[in-house]
Amino acid sequence: MKWLIYLYPKTWRKRYGDELNDILKQTDTSFKTIIDLLIGIIDAWHLELNERDIYGYRIGQILVAATAINLFIVLKLKPLGEVIEMEIVATIAVLIAMSSLFLAIVAFVVSIFKFGREGLTLKPKLSKTAVGLMGSYAVFMGTFLILIN
């Protein structure tokens, strides 16, 4: 029955695998025990997959909110004829930020299409790249907000 432990998700095995192994050594092998283990495996995988979906859904919500905020900020910019040097730098910063946001969204969407559910985690390099681009977006948006005040 020890081999049933390997059917659990890897994160679950790291956390509870040794304990379950000890419990299985102390119990008798029965049909009820095997059924309980199989139900536990299904439940663990269900939780694992739901957490991945929720994480990807939250990243999608953050990207949509950031895009909406950018739209309102860019629409409030003054016409280019009225700008001074600081405002030119601020405009460049917001353009870099918007480019970073666009690339982050593209990388995230490509990661989801290429890797499926795994694209919603931080395992693929594309997902890590999307998060990195969101970091550069935050830095440049912070710079922009400081310069316009």
Side-chain angles (χ1 to χ4, degrees), residues 9 12 41-52 54:
W12 192 96
I41 291 167
I42 292 169
D43 186 47
W45 274 107
H46 178 72
L47 290 174
E48 178 85 11
L49 294 176
N50 278 341
E51 287 177 4
R52 290 179 185 174
I54 289 170

Side-chain angles (χ1 to χ4, degrees), residues 21-35:
N21 192 21
D22 293 339
I23 291 171
L24 289 177
K25 287 179 184 176
Q26 297 172 5
T27 59
D28 295 330
T29 302
S30 68
F31 183 72
K32 183 182 181 312
T33 306
I34 293 172
I35 295 298

Side-chain angles (χ1 to χ4, degrees), residues 121-148:
T121 65
L122 288 178
K123 290 181 183 176
K125 288 184 180 180
L126 278 174
S127 297
K128 291 177 186 175
T129 302
V131 171
L133 287 167
M134 283 302 296
S136 66
Y137 157 76
V139 168
F140 282 105
M141 279 308 292
T143 304
F144 169 73
L145 293 173
I146 290 169
L147 289 174
I148 64 169

Side-chain angles (χ1 to χ4, degrees), residues 50-120:
N50 278 341
E51 287 177 4
R52 290 179 185 174
D53 286 344
I54 289 170
Y55 179 73
Y57 180 70
R58 288 184 183 156
I59 287 179
Q61 285 180 329
I62 290 169
L63 291 174
V64 168
T67 304
I69 291 169
N70 276 331
L71 180 64
F72 290 121
I73 289 173
V74 169
L75 289 177
K76 292 288 184 178
L77 282 177
K78 296 178 183 175
L80 208 52
E82 300 175 12
V83 296
I84 57 173
E85 289 182 33
M86 284 301 254
E87 289 180 345
I88 291 174
V89 174
T91 304
I92 292 170
V94 79
L95 290 175
I96 293 172
M98 294 294 282
S99 300
S100 296
L101 177 66
F102 176 73
L103 291 174
I105 292 170
V106 169
F108 184 67
V109 169
V110 169
S111 176
I112 290 172
F113 281 114
K114 185 173 181 181
F115 298 106
R117 287 184 181 252
E118 189 178 343
L120 298 174

